[in-house]
Amino acid sequence: MPALAFVALCLAWGGTWLAIRIGVQETPPLWLASSRFVVAGLLLLVVARFVGGWHRISRPDLGRLVVMSAGAISICFGLIFWGEQYVESGLAGVLVQGFVPIGLFAFAVLLGKERVLGRQLVGLLLGLAGVALLILTQIRYEADTRVLAGTVAIIVGTLIYDWAGVYGGGLLSRYPAPLMSAYENLIGGLLLLPVSLVLEGGRLAEDGLMPNARAFGSWLYLVVIGSMVGFTAYTYLLAKWGPTRTSAYAFVTPVVAVAVGVFVGGEQLRWQDFVGAGMVVAAVVFIVTRKRAAADTEPLVAETAESEKVSRG
């Protein structure tokens, strides 16, 4: 059963990027993101209630939760959804799900929470080189500057998410996972919603909230499969396997995202894209995998898993 849950998790989150790509071609990106997270947050609150994950949030923690939600959901996914208007879904999946562990570790090092060992340094340098190759490839081959802008937006959004994950790491460990995921999705979506209405209200008034079946299908996948199925599988694996083993999804889902984009979405990637993506995935392997006996590096794996569960679920 855990193996099936792992497959479901990788397929659900690996397919998320094509769903976003399809959705933002049909409806405004900020609206797609905000409505997705509001509904997903409400549904996850119901889940949290029934699985016994309901606890009162203290007043000091509430302020931290709002800041974390703004970074990890509102700003992060506002930029990612906007960027995917111009960037292929497979590339976006690699940049986000591959770069999350790299960025989390880098921020933890900058904040003095982790030490850089030889293996992790190799991973950081390899990951940065892979991302640089992906960006340089866009600059060389894409005449449309919006593609480069979209790539940069996705990277910046991911870095903001990483910062939010490190900032709220202690908060996530004090409350049940279902409750934190629900609140972060809901608060982040509610904060992004008025921004969408201001910036995209004209288009929404003209085209409607869900203009066609492709837009609704994309939105439904993100809510049901990306959030509900993905999160359920993730929390199940955390209970059965623990965060270290479960974190293996971080170097499987980018590969799934590329495969889904190419074989389902018909996307065309250059050989440089595959090389850059491979470097990022290899970097994740270097950073995420640990010798279980190395107690001084183990907390990062747990923190990475705790932080990643929110936005991916």
Side-chain angles (χ1 to χ4, degrees):
M1 188 65 177
L4 291 178
F6 184 79
V7 172
L9 172 66
C10 293
L11 291 177
W13 285 353
T16 293
W17 308 103
L18 181 59
I20 295 173
R21 174 74 169 164
I22 292 172
V24 297
Q25 302 300 317
E26 307 294 336
T27 194
L30 302 185
W31 164 251
L32 183 68
S34 59
S35 59
R36 175 259 177 117
F37 285 115
V38 168
V39 174
L42 291 172
L43 291 175
L44 288 170
L45 277 178
V46 175
V47 173
R49 187 71 175 182
F50 279 98
V51 299
W54 196 267
H55 289 261
R56 182 184 179 89
I57 307 296
S58 69
R59 188 179 297 273
D61 284 344
L62 184 59
R64 181 174 288 266
L65 175 61
V66 171
V67 173
M68 185 172 61
S69 302
I73 300 295
S74 309
I75 301 175
C76 167
F77 280 93
L79 289 170
I80 289 173
F81 275 57
W82 182 87
E84 270 217 58
Q85 294 177 103
Y86 314 110
V87 177
E88 300 282 21
S89 68
L91 180 57
V94 170
L95 288 172
V96 178
Q97 295 198 282
F99 206 58
V100 161
I102 300 171
L104 277 170
F105 183 74
F107 275 112
V109 170
L110 290 174
L111 294 174
K113 295 185 176 182
E114 291 292 334
R115 293 181 300 163
V116 179
L117 303 179
R119 182 182 181 87
Q120 287 75 55
L121 180 60
V122 171
L124 282 175
L125 295 177
L126 188 61
L128 292 175
V131 171
L133 177 59
L134 293 171
I135 295 175
L136 290 174
T137 301
Q138 301 299 315
I139 295 174
R140 180 178 179 183
Y141 290 101
E142 295 292 346
D144 191 344
T145 56
R146 293 178 300 178
V147 176
L148 177 59
T151 303
V152 173
I154 290 171
I155 293 172
V156 171
T158 305
L159 288 174
I160 292 173
Y161 170 78
D162 288 332
W163 170 84
V166 174
Y167 171 82
L171 176 63
L172 291 170
S173 65
R174 289 196 291 274
Y175 297 95
L179 185 65
M180 285 294 95
S181 183
Y183 274 136
E184 193 158 2
N185 277 265
L186 180 58
I187 294 171
L190 288 174
L191 291 175
L192 185 58
L193 186 59
V195 179
S196 168
L197 295 178
V198 170
L199 298 180
E200 303 169 336
R203 183 178 168 188
L204 289 171
E206 182 177 347
D207 297 340
L209 300 182
M210 290 293 162
N212 53 46
R214 281 171 58 85
F216 181 71
S218 164
W219 180 87
L220 194 63
Y221 180 98
L222 293 172
V223 172
V224 176
I225 306 298
S227 292
M228 302 303 296
V229 173
F231 174 78
T232 301
Y234 187 88
T235 51
Y236 172 79
L237 286 170
L238 283 179
K240 293 294 184 179
W241 282 359
T244 302
R245 191 176 177 186
T246 302
S247 65
Y249 86 88
F251 49 84
V252 176
T253 47
V255 178
V256 175
V258 171
V260 170
V262 171
F263 294 109
V264 179
E267 298 177 351
Q268 301 293 323
L269 297 180
R270 306 174 187 87
W271 68 266
Q272 293 96 328
D273 294 322
F274 285 103
V275 172
M279 293 170 68
V280 172
V281 173
V284 174
V285 175
F286 274 105
I287 291 174
V288 171
T289 56
R290 301 285 194 275
K291 291 183 179 180
R292 299 185 69 90
D296 59 337
T297 61
E298 191 71 20
L300 176 64
V301 178
E303 181 177 289
T304 301
E306 283 294 305
S307 300
E308 285 177 350
K309 70 170 171 261
V310 178
S311 67
R312 304 297 169 247

mmCIF file with all atom_site columns, all heavy atoms in Angstrom, residues 178-203:
data_model
loop_
_atom_site.group_PDB
_atom_site.id
_atom_site.type_symbol
_atom_site.label_atom_id
_atom_site.label_alt_id
_atom_site.label_comp_id
_atom_site.label_asym_id
_atom_site.label_entity_id
_atom_site.label_seq_id
_atom_site.pdbx_PDB_ins_code
_atom_site.Cartn_x
_atom_site.Cartn_y
_atom_site.Cartn_z
_atom_site.occupancy
_atom_site.B_iso_or_equiv
_atom_site.pdbx_formal_charge
_atom_site.auth_seq_id
_atom_site.auth_comp_id
_atom_site.auth_asym_id
_atom_site.auth_atom_id
_atom_site.pdbx_PDB_model_num
ATOM 1   N N   . PRO A 1 178 ? -2.417  18.135 8.680   1.00 0.00 ? 178 PRO A N   1
ATOM 2   C CA  . PRO A 1 178 ? -3.632  18.484 7.930   1.00 0.00 ? 178 PRO A CA  1
ATOM 3   C C   . PRO A 1 178 ? -4.122  19.893 8.231   1.00 0.00 ? 178 PRO A C   1
ATOM 4   O O   . PRO A 1 178 ? -4.558  20.621 7.326   1.00 0.00 ? 178 PRO A O   1
ATOM 5   C CB  . PRO A 1 178 ? -4.651  17.433 8.394   1.00 0.00 ? 178 PRO A CB  1
ATOM 6   C CG  . PRO A 1 178 ? -3.826  16.294 8.879   1.00 0.00 ? 178 PRO A CG  1
ATOM 7   C CD  . PRO A 1 178 ? -2.610  16.924 9.495   1.00 0.00 ? 178 PRO A CD  1
ATOM 8   N N   . LEU A 1 179 ? -4.051  20.306 9.494   1.00 0.00 ? 179 LEU A N   1
ATOM 9   C CA  . LEU A 1 179 ? -4.532  21.630 9.862   1.00 0.00 ? 179 LEU A CA  1
ATOM 10  C C   . LEU A 1 179 ? -3.656  22.726 9.262   1.00 0.00 ? 179 LEU A C   1
ATOM 11  O O   . LEU A 1 179 ? -4.155  23.718 8.719   1.00 0.00 ? 179 LEU A O   1
ATOM 12  C CB  . LEU A 1 179 ? -4.563  21.758 11.383  1.00 0.00 ? 179 LEU A CB  1
ATOM 13  C CG  . LEU A 1 179 ? -5.173  23.058 11.927  1.00 0.00 ? 179 LEU A CG  1
ATOM 14  C CD1 . LEU A 1 179 ? -6.648  23.136 11.575  1.00 0.00 ? 179 LEU A CD1 1
ATOM 15  C CD2 . LEU A 1 179 ? -4.985  23.141 13.439  1.00 0.00 ? 179 LEU A CD2 1
ATOM 16  N N   . MET A 1 180 ? -2.346  22.565 9.337   1.00 0.00 ? 180 MET A N   1
ATOM 17  C CA  . MET A 1 180 ? -1.434  23.567 8.796   1.00 0.00 ? 180 MET A CA  1
ATOM 18  C C   . MET A 1 180 ? -1.574  23.688 7.286   1.00 0.00 ? 180 MET A C   1
ATOM 19  O O   . MET A 1 180 ? -1.574  24.781 6.727   1.00 0.00 ? 180 MET A O   1
ATOM 20  C CB  . MET A 1 180 ? -0.002  23.234 9.167   1.00 0.00 ? 180 MET A CB  1
ATOM 21  C CG  . MET A 1 180 ? 0.372   23.520 10.605  1.00 0.00 ? 180 MET A CG  1
ATOM 22  S SD  . MET A 1 180 ? 0.336   25.303 10.997  1.00 0.00 ? 180 MET A SD  1
ATOM 23  C CE  . MET A 1 180 ? -1.327  25.456 11.698  1.00 0.00 ? 180 MET A CE  1
ATOM 24  N N   . SER A 1 181 ? -1.686  22.564 6.628   1.00 0.00 ? 181 SER A N   1
ATOM 25  C CA  . SER A 1 181 ? -1.857  22.588 5.173   1.00 0.00 ? 181 SER A CA  1
ATOM 26  C C   . SER A 1 181 ? -3.161  23.288 4.796   1.00 0.00 ? 181 SER A C   1
ATOM 27  O O   . SER A 1 181 ? -3.198  24.100 3.862   1.00 0.00 ? 181 SER A O   1
ATOM 28  C CB  . SER A 1 181 ? -1.854  21.168 4.615   1.00 0.00 ? 181 SER A CB  1
ATOM 29  O OG  . SER A 1 181 ? -1.938  21.182 3.210   1.00 0.00 ? 181 SER A OG  1
ATOM 30  N N   . ALA A 1 182 ? -4.227  22.982 5.526   1.00 0.00 ? 182 ALA A N   1
ATOM 31  C CA  . ALA A 1 182 ? -5.526  23.594 5.242   1.00 0.00 ? 182 ALA A CA  1
ATOM 32  C C   . ALA A 1 182 ? -5.481  25.105 5.439   1.00 0.00 ? 182 ALA A C   1
ATOM 33  O O   . ALA A 1 182 ? -5.903  25.876 4.576   1.00 0.00 ? 182 ALA A O   1
ATOM 34  C CB  . ALA A 1 182 ? -6.595  22.979 6.139   1.00 0.00 ? 182 ALA A CB  1
ATOM 35  N N   . TYR A 1 183 ? -4.967  25.547 6.580   1.00 0.00 ? 183 TYR A N   1
ATOM 36  C CA  . TYR A 1 183 ? -4.917  26.981 6.856   1.00 0.00 ? 183 TYR A CA  1
ATOM 37  C C   . TYR A 1 183 ? -4.013  27.724 5.879   1.00 0.00 ? 183 TYR A C   1
ATOM 38  O O   . TYR A 1 183 ? -4.328  28.823 5.427   1.00 0.00 ? 183 TYR A O   1
ATOM 39  C CB  . TYR A 1 183 ? -4.435  27.222 8.293   1.00 0.00 ? 183 TYR A CB  1
ATOM 40  C CG  . TYR A 1 183 ? -5.530  27.172 9.321   1.00 0.00 ? 183 TYR A CG  1
ATOM 41  C CD1 . TYR A 1 183 ? -5.365  26.488 10.528  1.00 0.00 ? 183 TYR A CD1 1
ATOM 42  C CD2 . TYR A 1 183 ? -6.744  27.811 9.101   1.00 0.00 ? 183 TYR A CD2 1
ATOM 43  C CE1 . TYR A 1 183 ? -6.372  26.443 11.481  1.00 0.00 ? 183 TYR A CE1 1
ATOM 44  C CE2 . TYR A 1 183 ? -7.760  27.766 10.042  1.00 0.00 ? 183 TYR A CE2 1
ATOM 45  C CZ  . TYR A 1 183 ? -7.576  27.083 11.221  1.00 0.00 ? 183 TYR A CZ  1
ATOM 46  O OH  . TYR A 1 183 ? -8.584  27.031 12.155  1.00 0.00 ? 183 TYR A OH  1
ATOM 47  N N   . GLU A 1 184 ? -2.889  27.123 5.544   1.00 0.00 ? 184 GLU A N   1
ATOM 48  C CA  . GLU A 1 184 ? -1.961  27.814 4.654   1.00 0.00 ? 184 GLU A CA  1
ATOM 49  C C   . GLU A 1 184 ? -2.543  27.948 3.253   1.00 0.00 ? 184 GLU A C   1
ATOM 50  O O   . GLU A 1 184 ? -2.407  28.986 2.602   1.00 0.00 ? 184 GLU A O   1
ATOM 51  C CB  . GLU A 1 184 ? -0.615  27.095 4.618   1.00 0.00 ? 184 GLU A CB  1
ATOM 52  C CG  . GLU A 1 184 ? 0.465   27.937 3.981   1.00 0.00 ? 184 GLU A CG  1
ATOM 53  C CD  . GLU A 1 184 ? 1.848   27.518 4.390   1.00 0.00 ? 184 GLU A CD  1
ATOM 54  O OE1 . GLU A 1 184 ? 1.989   26.539 5.146   1.00 0.00 ? 184 GLU A OE1 1
ATOM 55  O OE2 . GLU A 1 184 ? 2.799   28.172 3.956   1.00 0.00 ? 184 GLU A OE2 1
ATOM 56  N N   . ASN A 1 185 ? -3.177  26.895 2.761   1.00 0.00 ? 185 ASN A N   1
ATOM 57  C CA  . ASN A 1 185 ? -3.853  26.981 1.472   1.00 0.00 ? 185 ASN A CA  1
ATOM 58  C C   . ASN A 1 185 ? -4.951  28.038 1.498   1.00 0.00 ? 185 ASN A C   1
ATOM 59  O O   . ASN A 1 185 ? -5.051  28.875 0.592   1.00 0.00 ? 185 ASN A O   1
ATOM 60  C CB  . ASN A 1 185 ? -4.450  25.627 1.095   1.00 0.00 ? 185 ASN A CB  1
ATOM 61  C CG  . ASN A 1 185 ? -3.447  24.694 0.440   1.00 0.00 ? 185 ASN A CG  1
ATOM 62  O OD1 . ASN A 1 185 ? -3.364  24.614 -0.778  1.00 0.00 ? 185 ASN A OD1 1
ATOM 63  N ND2 . ASN A 1 185 ? -2.677  23.988 1.250   1.00 0.00 ? 185 ASN A ND2 1
ATOM 64  N N   . LEU A 1 186 ? -5.789  28.003 2.544   1.00 0.00 ? 186 LEU A N   1
ATOM 65  C CA  . LEU A 1 186 ? -6.924  28.908 2.629   1.00 0.00 ? 186 LEU A CA  1
ATOM 66  C C   . LEU A 1 186 ? -6.481  30.360 2.777   1.00 0.00 ? 186 LEU A C   1
ATOM 67  O O   . LEU A 1 186 ? -6.946  31.248 2.043   1.00 0.00 ? 186 LEU A O   1
ATOM 68  C CB  . LEU A 1 186 ? -7.820  28.507 3.804   1.00 0.00 ? 186 LEU A CB  1
ATOM 69  C CG  . LEU A 1 186 ? -9.070  29.367 4.039   1.00 0.00 ? 186 LEU A CG  1
ATOM 70  C CD1 . LEU A 1 186 ? -9.968  29.382 2.802   1.00 0.00 ? 186 LEU A CD1 1
ATOM 71  C CD2 . LEU A 1 186 ? -9.838  28.871 5.257   1.00 0.00 ? 186 LEU A CD2 1
ATOM 72  N N   . ILE A 1 187 ? -5.567  30.633 3.708   1.00 0.00 ? 187 ILE A N   1
ATOM 73  C CA  . ILE A 1 187 ? -5.110  32.007 3.929   1.00 0.00 ? 187 ILE A CA  1
ATOM 74  C C   . ILE A 1 187 ? -4.381  32.535 2.712   1.00 0.00 ? 187 ILE A C   1
ATOM 75  O O   . ILE A 1 187 ? -4.611  33.664 2.260   1.00 0.00 ? 187 ILE A O   1
ATOM 76  C CB  . ILE A 1 187 ? -4.207  32.070 5.179   1.00 0.00 ? 187 ILE A CB  1
ATOM 77  C CG1 . ILE A 1 187 ? -5.020  31.757 6.431   1.00 0.00 ? 187 ILE A CG1 1
ATOM 78  C CG2 . ILE A 1 187 ? -3.554  33.442 5.300   1.00 0.00 ? 187 ILE A CG2 1
ATOM 79  C CD1 . ILE A 1 187 ? -4.173  31.593 7.684   1.00 0.00 ? 187 ILE A CD1 1
ATOM 80  N N   . GLY A 1 188 ? -3.499  31.711 2.137   1.00 0.00 ? 188 GLY A N   1
ATOM 81  C CA  . GLY A 1 188 ? -2.775  32.137 0.950   1.00 0.00 ? 188 GLY A CA  1
ATOM 82  C C   . GLY A 1 188 ? -3.702  32.437 -0.211  1.00 0.00 ? 188 GLY A C   1
ATOM 83  O O   . GLY A 1 188 ? -3.520  33.426 -0.937  1.00 0.00 ? 188 GLY A O   1
ATOM 84  N N   . GLY A 1 189 ? -4.712  31.589 -0.408  1.00 0.00 ? 189 GLY A N   1
ATOM 85  C CA  . GLY A 1 189 ? -5.678  31.833 -1.478  1.00 0.00 ? 189 GLY A CA  1
ATOM 86  C C   . GLY A 1 189 ? -6.496  33.084 -1.243  1.00 0.00 ? 189 GLY A C   1
ATOM 87  O O   . GLY A 1 189 ? -6.744  33.860 -2.171  1.00 0.00 ? 189 GLY A O   1
ATOM 88  N N   . LEU A 1 190 ? -6.919  33.318 0.002   1.00 0.00 ? 190 LEU A N   1
ATOM 89  C CA  . LEU A 1 190 ? -7.718  34.511 0.314   1.00 0.00 ? 190 LEU A CA  1
ATOM 90  C C   . LEU A 1 190 ? -6.905  35.789 0.149   1.00 0.00 ? 190 LEU A C   1
ATOM 91  O O   . LEU A 1 190 ? -7.448  36.818 -0.268  1.00 0.00 ? 190 LEU A O   1
ATOM 92  C CB  . LEU A 1 190 ? -8.243  34.410 1.743   1.00 0.00 ? 190 LEU A CB  1
ATOM 93  C CG  . LEU A 1 190 ? -9.357  33.378 1.981   1.00 0.00 ? 190 LEU A CG  1
ATOM 94  C CD1 . LEU A 1 190 ? -9.683  33.278 3.466   1.00 0.00 ? 190 LEU A CD1 1
ATOM 95  C CD2 . LEU A 1 190 ? -10.610 33.725 1.178   1.00 0.00 ? 190 LEU A CD2 1
ATOM 96  N N   . LEU A 1 191 ? -5.617  35.753 0.460   1.00 0.00 ? 191 LEU A N   1
ATOM 97  C CA  . LEU A 1 191 ? -4.770  36.932 0.278   1.00 0.00 ? 191 LEU A CA  1
ATOM 98  C C   . LEU A 1 191 ? -4.544  37.235 -1.202  1.00 0.00 ? 191 LEU A C   1
ATOM 99  O O   . LEU A 1 191 ? -4.428  38.404 -1.597  1.00 0.00 ? 191 LEU A O   1
ATOM 100 C CB  . LEU A 1 191 ? -3.419  36.722 0.973   1.00 0.00 ? 191 LEU A CB  1
ATOM 101 C CG  . LEU A 1 191 ? -3.426  36.687 2.503   1.00 0.00 ? 191 LEU A CG  1
ATOM 102 C CD1 . LEU A 1 191 ? -2.040  36.340 3.030   1.00 0.00 ? 191 LEU A CD1 1
ATOM 103 C CD2 . LEU A 1 191 ? -3.892  38.016 3.073   1.00 0.00 ? 191 LEU A CD2 1
ATOM 104 N N   . LEU A 1 192 ? -4.477  36.192 -2.020  1.00 0.00 ? 192 LEU A N   1
ATOM 105 C CA  . LEU A 1 192 ? -4.243  36.387 -3.453  1.00 0.00 ? 192 LEU A CA  1
ATOM 106 C C   . LEU A 1 192 ? -5.514  36.772 -4.197  1.00 0.00 ? 192 LEU A C   1
ATOM 107 O O   . LEU A 1 192 ? -5.446  37.425 -5.246  1.00 0.00 ? 192 LEU A O   1
ATOM 108 C CB  . LEU A 1 192 ? -3.666  35.096 -4.047  1.00 0.00 ? 192 LEU A CB  1
ATOM 109 C CG  . LEU A 1 192 ? -3.238  35.128 -5.516  1.00 0.00 ? 192 LEU A CG  1
ATOM 110 C CD1 . LEU A 1 192 ? -2.182  36.203 -5.762  1.00 0.00 ? 192 LEU A CD1 1
ATOM 111 C CD2 . LEU A 1 192 ? -2.722  33.750 -5.941  1.00 0.00 ? 192 LEU A CD2 1
ATOM 112 N N   . LEU A 1 193 ? -6.677  36.406 -3.665  1.00 0.00 ? 193 LEU A N   1
ATOM 113 C CA  . LEU A 1 193 ? -7.944  36.624 -4.361  1.00 0.00 ? 193 LEU A CA  1
ATOM 114 C C   . LEU A 1 193 ? -8.214  38.092 -4.692  1.00 0.00 ? 193 LEU A C   1
ATOM 115 O O   . LEU A 1 193 ? -8.547  38.411 -5.848  1.00 0.00 ? 193 LEU A O   1
ATOM 116 C CB  . LEU A 1 193 ? -9.088  36.036 -3.530  1.00 0.00 ? 193 LEU A CB  1
ATOM 117 C CG  . LEU A 1 193 ? -10.473 36.045 -4.172  1.00 0.00 ? 193 LEU A CG  1
ATOM 118 C CD1 . LEU A 1 193 ? -10.469 35.271 -5.479  1.00 0.00 ? 193 LEU A CD1 1
ATOM 119 C CD2 . LEU A 1 193 ? -11.505 35.451 -3.210  1.00 0.00 ? 193 LEU A CD2 1
ATOM 120 N N   . PRO A 1 194 ? -8.105  39.032 -3.754  1.00 0.00 ? 194 PRO A N   1
ATOM 121 C CA  . PRO A 1 194 ? -8.361  40.434 -4.116  1.00 0.00 ? 194 PRO A CA  1
ATOM 122 C C   . PRO A 1 194 ? -7.359  40.980 -5.131  1.00 0.00 ? 194 PRO A C   1
ATOM 123 O O   . PRO A 1 194 ? -7.716  41.847 -5.951  1.00 0.00 ? 194 PRO A O   1
ATOM 124 C CB  . PRO A 1 194 ? -8.259  41.178 -2.781  1.00 0.00 ? 194 PRO A CB  1
ATOM 125 C CG  . PRO A 1 194 ? -7.496  40.267 -1.878  1.00 0.00 ? 194 PRO A CG  1
ATOM 126 C CD  . PRO A 1 194 ? -7.834  38.882 -2.313  1.00 0.00 ? 194 PRO A CD  1
ATOM 127 N N   . VAL A 1 195 ? -6.124  40.489 -5.097  1.00 0.00 ? 195 VAL A N   1
ATOM 128 C CA  . VAL A 1 195 ? -5.141  40.910 -6.106  1.00 0.00 ? 195 VAL A CA  1
ATOM 129 C C   . VAL A 1 195 ? -5.609  40.475 -7.488  1.00 0.00 ? 195 VAL A C   1
ATOM 130 O O   . VAL A 1 195 ? -5.528  41.232 -8.463  1.00 0.00 ? 195 VAL A O   1
ATOM 131 C CB  . VAL A 1 195 ? -3.756  40.310 -5.787  1.00 0.00 ? 195 VAL A CB  1
ATOM 132 C CG1 . VAL A 1 195 ? -2.734  40.734 -6.844  1.00 0.00 ? 195 VAL A CG1 1
ATOM 133 C CG2 . VAL A 1 195 ? -3.297  40.724 -4.406  1.00 0.00 ? 195 VAL A CG2 1
ATOM 134 N N   . SER A 1 196 ? -6.125  39.265 -7.570  1.00 0.00 ? 196 SER A N   1
ATOM 135 C CA  . SER A 1 196 ? -6.654  38.768 -8.839  1.00 0.00 ? 196 SER A CA  1
ATOM 136 C C   . SER A 1 196 ? -7.830  39.606 -9.322  1.00 0.00 ? 196 SER A C   1
ATOM 137 O O   . SER A 1 196 ? -7.919  39.974 -10.497 1.00 0.00 ? 196 SER A O   1
ATOM 138 C CB  . SER A 1 196 ? -7.090  37.307 -8.680  1.00 0.00 ? 196 SER A CB  1
ATOM 139 O OG  . SER A 1 196 ? -7.845  36.884 -9.802  1.00 0.00 ? 196 SER A OG  1
ATOM 140 N N   . LEU A 1 197 ? -8.739  39.935 -8.421  1.00 0.00 ? 197 LEU A N   1
ATOM 141 C CA  . LEU A 1 197 ? -9.930  40.696 -8.821  1.00 0.00 ? 197 LEU A CA  1
ATOM 142 C C   . LEU A 1 197 ? -9.567  42.095 -9.307  1.00 0.00 ? 197 LEU A C   1
ATOM 143 O O   . LEU A 1 197 ? -10.183 42.626 -10.229 1.00 0.00 ? 197 LEU A O   1
ATOM 144 C CB  . LEU A 1 197 ? -10.899 40.779 -7.644  1.00 0.00 ? 197 LEU A CB  1
ATOM 145 C CG  . LEU A 1 197 ? -11.492 39.442 -7.184  1.00 0.00 ? 197 LEU A CG  1
ATOM 146 C CD1 . LEU A 1 197 ? -12.397 39.633 -5.977  1.00 0.00 ? 197 LEU A CD1 1
ATOM 147 C CD2 . LEU A 1 197 ? -12.248 38.761 -8.325  1.00 0.00 ? 197 LEU A CD2 1
ATOM 148 N N   . VAL A 1 198 ? -8.535  42.691 -8.709  1.00 0.00 ? 198 VAL A N   1
ATOM 149 C CA  . VAL A 1 198 ? -8.099  44.027 -9.140  1.00 0.00 ? 198 VAL A CA  1
ATOM 150 C C   . VAL A 1 198 ? -7.402  43.967 -10.485 1.00 0.00 ? 198 VAL A C   1
ATOM 151 O O   . VAL A 1 198 ? -7.692  44.763 -11.396 1.00 0.00 ? 198 VAL A O   1
ATOM 152 C CB  . VAL A 1 198 ? -7.180  44.667 -8.079  1.00 0.00 ? 198 VAL A CB  1
ATOM 153 C CG1 . VAL A 1 198 ? -6.536  45.938 -8.627  1.00 0.00 ? 198 VAL A CG1 1
ATOM 154 C CG2 . VAL A 1 198 ? -7.958  44.975 -6.809  1.00 0.00 ? 198 VAL A CG2 1
ATOM 155 N N   . LEU A 1 199 ? -6.475  43.034 -10.634 1.00 0.00 ? 199 LEU A N   1
ATOM 156 C CA  . LEU A 1 199 ? -5.656  42.975 -11.845 1.00 0.00 ? 199 LEU A CA  1
ATOM 157 C C   . LEU A 1 199 ? -6.341  42.259 -13.007 1.00 0.00 ? 199 LEU A C   1
ATOM 158 O O   . LEU A 1 199 ? -6.059  42.555 -14.171 1.00 0.00 ? 199 LEU A O   1
ATOM 159 C CB  . LEU A 1 199 ? -4.322  42.282 -11.539 1.00 0.00 ? 199 LEU A CB  1
ATOM 160 C CG  . LEU A 1 199 ? -3.417  42.976 -10.514 1.00 0.00 ? 199 LEU A CG  1
ATOM 161 C CD1 . LEU A 1 199 ? -2.134  42.158 -10.308 1.00 0.00 ? 199 LEU A CD1 1
ATOM 162 C CD2 . LEU A 1 199 ? -3.073  44.394 -10.960 1.00 0.00 ? 199 LEU A CD2 1
ATOM 163 N N   . GLU A 1 200 ? -7.228  41.307 -12.686 1.00 0.00 ? 200 GLU A N   1
ATOM 164 C CA  . GLU A 1 200 ? -7.812  40.478 -13.744 1.00 0.00 ? 200 GLU A CA  1
ATOM 165 C C   . GLU A 1 200 ? -9.321  40.592 -13.816 1.00 0.00 ? 200 GLU A C   1
ATOM 166 O O   . GLU A 1 200 ? -9.969  39.858 -14.560 1.00 0.00 ? 200 GLU A O   1
ATOM 167 C CB  . GLU A 1 200 ? -7.428  39.010 -13.500 1.00 0.00 ? 200 GLU A CB  1
ATOM 168 C CG  . GLU A 1 200 ? -5.927  38.772 -13.438 1.00 0.00 ? 200 GLU A CG  1
ATOM 169 C CD  . GLU A 1 200 ? -5.554  37.384 -12.930 1.00 0.00 ? 200 GLU A CD  1
ATOM 170 O OE1 . GLU A 1 200 ? -6.378  36.777 -12.201 1.00 0.00 ? 200 GLU A OE1 1
ATOM 171 O OE2 . GLU A 1 200 ? -4.453  36.915 -13.255 1.00 0.00 ? 200 GLU A OE2 1
ATOM 172 N N   . GLY A 1 201 ? -9.893  41.536 -13.057 1.00 0.00 ? 201 GLY A N   1
ATOM 173 C CA  . GLY A 1 201 ? -11.348 41.652 -12.994 1.00 0.00 ? 201 GLY A CA  1
ATOM 174 C C   . GLY A 1 201 ? -11.991 41.893 -14.336 1.00 0.00 ? 201 GLY A C   1
ATOM 175 O O   . GLY A 1 201 ? -13.064 41.349 -14.631 1.00 0.00 ? 201 GLY A O   1
ATOM 176 N N   . GLY A 1 202 ? -11.352 42.706 -15.174 1.00 0.00 ? 202 GLY A N   1
ATOM 177 C CA  . GLY A 1 202 ? -11.912 42.985 -16.492 1.00 0.00 ? 202 GLY A CA  1
ATOM 178 C C   . GLY A 1 202 ? -12.031 41.745 -17.349 1.00 0.00 ? 202 GLY A C   1
ATOM 179 O O   . GLY A 1 202 ? -13.065 41.509 -17.994 1.00 0.00 ? 202 GLY A O   1
ATOM 180 N N   . ARG A 1 203 ? -10.994 40.948 -17.354 1.00 0.00 ? 203 ARG A N   1
ATOM 181 C CA  . ARG A 1 203 ? -11.017 39.714 -18.149 1.00 0.00 ? 203 ARG A CA  1
ATOM 182 C C   . ARG A 1 203 ? -12.007 38.717 -17.577 1.00 0.00 ? 203 ARG A C   1
ATOM 183 O O   . ARG A 1 203 ? -12.715 38.026 -18.330 1.00 0.00 ? 203 ARG A O   1
ATOM 184 C CB  . ARG A 1 203 ? -9.615  39.107 -18.190 1.00 0.00 ? 203 ARG A CB  1
ATOM 185 C CG  . ARG A 1 203 ? -9.520  37.854 -19.043 1.00 0.00 ? 203 ARG A CG  1
ATOM 186 C CD  . ARG A 1 203 ? -8.104  37.330 -19.089 1.00 0.00 ? 203 ARG A CD  1
ATOM 187 N NE  . ARG A 1 203 ? -8.062  35.988 -19.676 1.00 0.00 ? 203 ARG A NE  1
ATOM 188 C CZ  . ARG A 1 203 ? -6.992  35.218 -19.715 1.00 0.00 ? 203 ARG A CZ  1
ATOM 189 N NH1 . ARG A 1 203 ? -5.842  35.671 -19.199 1.00 0.00 ? 203 ARG A NH1 1
ATOM 190 N NH2 . ARG A 1 203 ? -7.039  34.016 -20.249 1.00 0.00 ? 203 ARG A NH2 1
#
